[in-house]
Amino acid sequence: MRITGNRLMEQSAIATQRQQSRVGELAAEISSGVKVAKPSDDPAAWLAAQRAKLRSTVGDGASDAMAWSRDRLVQTDGALANLHSIVEEARTLAVQGNNDSYDAASRKEMGIHVRALMASAVAAANTRSPDGEHLLAGADS
């Protein structure tokens, strides 16, 4: 095969065009900071990046869900602690009221106090989370 001047210039032009294309790709990579901008750049790397992005999104969602659950548990624990103290106080009043040393007027005052405790217990049981759901409503929330 005979190599002519035209053939040399043609191959030189093709090589120059390839190098200019490569320079353009590298410039785009440097300016965007992304090596694989589209799937056709490197399918395996693009797929790996998409999987990593998905893992990150799922991880962030799991972190958010755990934080929300932790906050909700703290609020529920507070409501239950409040109910516990109310029940303990009502129990104490019931034991006191069973004592023969109290007269009817004292027991009436205890009854009024127990009614107030009952109202407090209902309020504690109806505690709502910041998103508006009842904390102690079970499946009905």
Side-chain angles (χ1 to χ4, degrees), residues 26-113:
L26 290 173
E29 183 180 325
I30 289 170
S31 67
S32 70
V34 178
K35 184 174 183 174
V36 181
K38 55 188 185 254
S40 61
D41 291 343
D42 184 355
W46 182 83
L47 185 59
Q50 294 305 311
R51 284 182 181 154
K53 192 184 305 181
L54 181 63
R55 275 190 220 106
S56 174
T57 302
V58 168
D60 291 347
S63 294
D64 292 346
M66 285 190 293
W68 178 84
S69 296
R70 191 177 309 111
D71 291 345
R72 185 140 178 161
L73 281 173
V74 167
Q75 292 170 339
T76 303
D77 190 45
L80 288 173
N82 193 8
L83 282 169
H84 175 73
S85 67
I86 291 169
V87 168
E88 285 296 315
E89 191 173 346
R91 182 178 173 269
T92 302
L93 286 173
V95 169
Q96 285 177 355
N98 194 29
N99 191 339
D100 288 338
S101 64
Y102 287 98
D103 62 353
S106 298
R107 288 191 175 111
K108 183 177 180 181
E109 286 179 29
M110 284 183 192
I112 292 170
H113 192 130

